[in-house]
Amino acid sequence: MRNVAPQEWEIRCDLAAAYRLIAHFGMDDLIYTHLSARLPGNEHRFLLNRYGMMFDEITASSLVVVDPEGHALDKERVSEINSAGFTIHSAVHMSRNDAQCVMHTHTHTGRHGGGRAGAGPAAVEPNVNGALRPHRLSRFRGYRG
């Protein structure tokens, strides 16, 4: 793995911990759900898990940097990305610069979530079907995979 700035490393560690917490609490769906985090800077770069890794296997160094279309920016890892899995994330990240982390899971209750810096717990509210809906952050984008 290339050398990364301390701020990126902290984001990598936090996102890897979030993946492991999702696995710990049984909110993962094998390899078919995703969490992503925005990296600092104006280049619109994001972290995403490698395709095929179980959530409890993900580490800070195994996360892949992707562009808004879900393409791996590290050419050695191009085949390790499920770009269709990033479609939902890119829609949120690109429409909301304050969305620092996006979580999309396939739990029994259909939970999903997104976060923005400094939003706190009030940014996520339940909706009528038992899912979690980020307050004024929800976006819909049809399946393109």
Side-chain angles (χ1 to χ4, degrees), residues 101-122:
C101 177
V102 177
M103 299 179 182
H104 170 225
T105 63
H106 297 177
T107 63
H108 294 292
T109 55
R111 293 186 186 108
H112 73 278
R116 55 190 166 118

PDB file of all heavy atoms in Angstrom, residues 101-122:
ATOM      1  N   CYS A 101     -19.636   9.949   5.195  1.00  0.00           N
ATOM      2  CA  CYS A 101     -19.696   8.489   5.197  1.00  0.00           C
ATOM      3  C   CYS A 101     -21.091   8.073   4.743  1.00  0.00           C
ATOM      4  O   CYS A 101     -22.084   8.688   5.138  1.00  0.00           O
ATOM      5  CB  CYS A 101     -19.420   7.973   6.610  1.00  0.00           C
ATOM      6  SG  CYS A 101     -19.537   6.185   6.773  1.00  0.00           S
ATOM      7  N   VAL A 102     -21.160   7.044   3.911  1.00  0.00           N
ATOM      8  CA  VAL A 102     -22.437   6.507   3.452  1.00  0.00           C
ATOM      9  C   VAL A 102     -22.435   5.011   3.764  1.00  0.00           C
ATOM     10  O   VAL A 102     -21.456   4.312   3.484  1.00  0.00           O
ATOM     11  CB  VAL A 102     -22.647   6.740   1.940  1.00  0.00           C
ATOM     12  CG1 VAL A 102     -23.952   6.117   1.468  1.00  0.00           C
ATOM     13  CG2 VAL A 102     -22.600   8.226   1.621  1.00  0.00           C
ATOM     14  N   MET A 103     -23.535   4.545   4.348  1.00  0.00           N
ATOM     15  CA  MET A 103     -23.671   3.133   4.691  1.00  0.00           C
ATOM     16  C   MET A 103     -24.906   2.576   4.002  1.00  0.00           C
ATOM     17  O   MET A 103     -25.983   3.148   4.115  1.00  0.00           O
ATOM     18  CB  MET A 103     -23.821   2.974   6.203  1.00  0.00           C
ATOM     19  CG  MET A 103     -22.651   3.469   6.977  1.00  0.00           C
ATOM     20  SD  MET A 103     -22.952   3.261   8.741  1.00  0.00           S
ATOM     21  CE  MET A 103     -21.451   3.973   9.393  1.00  0.00           C
ATOM     22  N   HIS A 104     -24.736   1.461   3.311  1.00  0.00           N
ATOM     23  CA  HIS A 104     -25.839   0.797   2.623  1.00  0.00           C
ATOM     24  C   HIS A 104     -25.780  -0.668   3.009  1.00  0.00           C
ATOM     25  O   HIS A 104     -24.818  -1.355   2.691  1.00  0.00           O
ATOM     26  CB  HIS A 104     -25.684   0.970   1.109  1.00  0.00           C
ATOM     27  CG  HIS A 104     -26.633   0.135   0.325  1.00  0.00           C
ATOM     28  ND1 HIS A 104     -26.248  -0.597  -0.766  1.00  0.00           N
ATOM     29  CD2 HIS A 104     -27.957  -0.084   0.475  1.00  0.00           C
ATOM     30  CE1 HIS A 104     -27.284  -1.231  -1.259  1.00  0.00           C
ATOM     31  NE2 HIS A 104     -28.334  -0.942  -0.526  1.00  0.00           N
ATOM     32  N   THR A 105     -26.784  -1.129   3.741  1.00  0.00           N
ATOM     33  CA  THR A 105     -26.787  -2.519   4.184  1.00  0.00           C
ATOM     34  C   THR A 105     -28.074  -3.206   3.746  1.00  0.00           C
ATOM     35  O   THR A 105     -29.057  -2.559   3.426  1.00  0.00           O
ATOM     36  CB  THR A 105     -26.660  -2.620   5.725  1.00  0.00           C
ATOM     37  OG1 THR A 105     -27.800  -2.014   6.325  1.00  0.00           O
ATOM     38  CG2 THR A 105     -25.390  -1.955   6.215  1.00  0.00           C
ATOM     39  N   HIS A 106     -28.040  -4.527   3.738  1.00  0.00           N
ATOM     40  CA  HIS A 106     -29.194  -5.345   3.378  1.00  0.00           C
ATOM     41  C   HIS A 106     -29.636  -6.137   4.595  1.00  0.00           C
ATOM     42  O   HIS A 106     -29.603  -7.356   4.583  1.00  0.00           O
ATOM     43  CB  HIS A 106     -28.838  -6.327   2.270  1.00  0.00           C
ATOM     44  CG  HIS A 106     -28.443  -5.684   0.995  1.00  0.00           C
ATOM     45  ND1 HIS A 106     -28.038  -6.408  -0.097  1.00  0.00           N
ATOM     46  CD2 HIS A 106     -28.368  -4.393   0.607  1.00  0.00           C
ATOM     47  CE1 HIS A 106     -27.741  -5.600  -1.094  1.00  0.00           C
ATOM     48  NE2 HIS A 106     -27.933  -4.369  -0.676  1.00  0.00           N
ATOM     49  N   THR A 107     -30.036  -5.477   5.643  1.00  0.00           N
ATOM     50  CA  THR A 107     -30.498  -6.194   6.827  1.00  0.00           C
ATOM     51  C   THR A 107     -31.961  -6.572   6.651  1.00  0.00           C
ATOM     52  O   THR A 107     -32.620  -6.146   5.703  1.00  0.00           O
ATOM     53  CB  THR A 107     -30.342  -5.324   8.081  1.00  0.00           C
ATOM     54  OG1 THR A 107     -31.179  -4.178   7.933  1.00  0.00           O
ATOM     55  CG2 THR A 107     -28.911  -4.894   8.288  1.00  0.00           C
ATOM     56  N   HIS A 108     -32.481  -7.329   7.594  1.00  0.00           N
ATOM     57  CA  HIS A 108     -33.879  -7.768   7.515  1.00  0.00           C
ATOM     58  C   HIS A 108     -34.842  -6.593   7.524  1.00  0.00           C
ATOM     59  O   HIS A 108     -35.909  -6.647   6.941  1.00  0.00           O
ATOM     60  CB  HIS A 108     -34.196  -8.735   8.651  1.00  0.00           C
ATOM     61  CG  HIS A 108     -33.445 -10.015   8.542  1.00  0.00           C
ATOM     62  ND1 HIS A 108     -33.675 -10.937   7.546  1.00  0.00           N
ATOM     63  CD2 HIS A 108     -32.424 -10.510   9.279  1.00  0.00           C
ATOM     64  CE1 HIS A 108     -32.845 -11.939   7.670  1.00  0.00           C
ATOM     65  NE2 HIS A 108     -32.081 -11.720   8.719  1.00  0.00           N
ATOM     66  N   THR A 109     -34.490  -5.517   8.181  1.00  0.00           N
ATOM     67  CA  THR A 109     -35.381  -4.369   8.236  1.00  0.00           C
ATOM     68  C   THR A 109     -35.040  -3.328   7.181  1.00  0.00           C
ATOM     69  O   THR A 109     -35.648  -2.266   7.144  1.00  0.00           O
ATOM     70  CB  THR A 109     -35.341  -3.695   9.623  1.00  0.00           C
ATOM     71  OG1 THR A 109     -33.981  -3.357   9.920  1.00  0.00           O
ATOM     72  CG2 THR A 109     -35.891  -4.605  10.686  1.00  0.00           C
ATOM     73  N   GLY A 110     -34.063  -3.609   6.329  1.00  0.00           N
ATOM     74  CA  GLY A 110     -33.737  -2.712   5.233  1.00  0.00           C
ATOM     75  C   GLY A 110     -33.081  -1.418   5.669  1.00  0.00           C
ATOM     76  O   GLY A 110     -33.276  -0.391   5.050  1.00  0.00           O
ATOM     77  N   ARG A 111     -32.291  -1.458   6.714  1.00  0.00           N
ATOM     78  CA  ARG A 111     -31.666  -0.227   7.198  1.00  0.00           C
ATOM     79  C   ARG A 111     -30.652   0.305   6.203  1.00  0.00           C
ATOM     80  O   ARG A 111     -29.957  -0.441   5.534  1.00  0.00           O
ATOM     81  CB  ARG A 111     -30.958  -0.489   8.518  1.00  0.00           C
ATOM     82  CG  ARG A 111     -31.903  -0.803   9.622  1.00  0.00           C
ATOM     83  CD  ARG A 111     -31.120  -0.910  10.917  1.00  0.00           C
ATOM     84  NE  ARG A 111     -32.011  -1.354  11.940  1.00  0.00           N
ATOM     85  CZ  ARG A 111     -31.980  -2.575  12.464  1.00  0.00           C
ATOM     86  NH1 ARG A 111     -31.081  -3.434  12.079  1.00  0.00           N
ATOM     87  NH2 ARG A 111     -32.835  -2.910  13.391  1.00  0.00           N
ATOM     88  N   HIS A 112     -30.556   1.618   6.151  1.00  0.00           N
ATOM     89  CA  HIS A 112     -29.491   2.275   5.420  1.00  0.00           C
ATOM     90  C   HIS A 112     -29.202   3.581   6.131  1.00  0.00           C
ATOM     91  O   HIS A 112     -30.019   4.065   6.898  1.00  0.00           O
ATOM     92  CB  HIS A 112     -29.849   2.505   3.952  1.00  0.00           C
ATOM     93  CG  HIS A 112     -30.855   3.577   3.741  1.00  0.00           C
ATOM     94  ND1 HIS A 112     -32.214   3.361   3.886  1.00  0.00           N
ATOM     95  CD2 HIS A 112     -30.724   4.880   3.421  1.00  0.00           C
ATOM     96  CE1 HIS A 112     -32.867   4.482   3.643  1.00  0.00           C
ATOM     97  NE2 HIS A 112     -31.992   5.423   3.377  1.00  0.00           N
ATOM     98  N   GLY A 113     -28.048   4.125   5.898  1.00  0.00           N
ATOM     99  CA  GLY A 113     -27.753   5.372   6.597  1.00  0.00           C
ATOM    100  C   GLY A 113     -26.679   6.156   5.899  1.00  0.00           C
ATOM    101  O   GLY A 113     -25.944   5.632   5.078  1.00  0.00           O
ATOM    102  N   GLY A 114     -26.596   7.402   6.237  1.00  0.00           N
ATOM    103  CA  GLY A 114     -25.549   8.276   5.720  1.00  0.00           C
ATOM    104  C   GLY A 114     -25.208   9.253   6.813  1.00  0.00           C
ATOM    105  O   GLY A 114     -26.005   9.495   7.711  1.00  0.00           O
ATOM    106  N   GLY A 115     -24.039   9.805   6.757  1.00  0.00           N
ATOM    107  CA  GLY A 115     -23.653  10.730   7.805  1.00  0.00           C
ATOM    108  C   GLY A 115     -23.045  11.980   7.229  1.00  0.00           C
ATOM    109  O   GLY A 115     -22.559  11.990   6.117  1.00  0.00           O
ATOM    110  N   ARG A 116     -23.099  13.020   8.018  1.00  0.00           N
ATOM    111  CA  ARG A 116     -22.434  14.247   7.618  1.00  0.00           C
ATOM    112  C   ARG A 116     -21.668  14.766   8.825  1.00  0.00           C
ATOM    113  O   ARG A 116     -22.049  14.521   9.961  1.00  0.00           O
ATOM    114  CB  ARG A 116     -23.432  15.271   7.095  1.00  0.00           C
ATOM    115  CG  ARG A 116     -24.553  15.599   8.014  1.00  0.00           C
ATOM    116  CD  ARG A 116     -25.589  16.440   7.272  1.00  0.00           C
ATOM    117  NE  ARG A 116     -26.796  16.457   8.047  1.00  0.00           N
ATOM    118  CZ  ARG A 116     -27.338  17.556   8.553  1.00  0.00           C
ATOM    119  NH1 ARG A 116     -26.796  18.722   8.332  1.00  0.00           N
ATOM    120  NH2 ARG A 116     -28.427  17.503   9.260  1.00  0.00           N
ATOM    121  N   ALA A 117     -20.620  15.455   8.574  1.00  0.00           N
ATOM    122  CA  ALA A 117     -19.747  15.921   9.643  1.00  0.00           C
ATOM    123  C   ALA A 117     -20.518  16.753  10.644  1.00  0.00           C
ATOM    124  O   ALA A 117     -21.246  17.660  10.275  1.00  0.00           O
ATOM    125  CB  ALA A 117     -18.599  16.736   9.055  1.00  0.00           C
ATOM    126  N   GLY A 118     -20.381  16.422  11.913  1.00  0.00           N
ATOM    127  CA  GLY A 118     -20.985  17.198  12.971  1.00  0.00           C
ATOM    128  C   GLY A 118     -22.491  17.055  13.093  1.00  0.00           C
ATOM    129  O   GLY A 118     -23.121  17.796  13.828  1.00  0.00           O
ATOM    130  N   ALA A 119     -23.086  16.116  12.390  1.00  0.00           N
ATOM    131  CA  ALA A 119     -24.541  16.011  12.391  1.00  0.00           C
ATOM    132  C   ALA A 119     -25.077  15.401  13.677  1.00  0.00           C
ATOM    133  O   ALA A 119     -26.150  15.758  14.125  1.00  0.00           O
ATOM    134  CB  ALA A 119     -25.009  15.174  11.204  1.00  0.00           C
ATOM    135  N   GLY A 120     -24.342  14.475  14.254  1.00  0.00           N
ATOM    136  CA  GLY A 120     -24.798  13.834  15.478  1.00  0.00           C
ATOM    137  C   GLY A 120     -25.960  12.902  15.230  1.00  0.00           C
ATOM    138  O   GLY A 120     -26.420  12.734  14.108  1.00  0.00           O
ATOM    139  N   PRO A 121     -26.465  12.266  16.281  1.00  0.00           N
ATOM    140  CA  PRO A 121     -27.534  11.276  16.132  1.00  0.00           C
ATOM    141  C   PRO A 121     -28.824  11.848  15.562  1.00  0.00           C
ATOM    142  O   PRO A 121     -29.619  11.130  14.993  1.00  0.00           O
ATOM    143  CB  PRO A 121     -27.759  10.768  17.551  1.00  0.00           C
ATOM    144  CG  PRO A 121     -26.721  11.366  18.399  1.00  0.00           C
ATOM    145  CD  PRO A 121     -26.010  12.423  17.627  1.00  0.00           C
ATOM    146  N   ALA A 122     -29.050  13.128  15.686  1.00  0.00           N
ATOM    147  CA  ALA A 122     -30.294  13.715  15.180  1.00  0.00           C
ATOM    148  C   ALA A 122     -30.369  13.686  13.661  1.00  0.00           C
ATOM    149  O   ALA A 122     -31.434  13.885  13.095  1.00  0.00           O
ATOM    150  CB  ALA A 122     -30.432  15.147  15.673  1.00  0.00           C
TER     151      ALA A 122
END
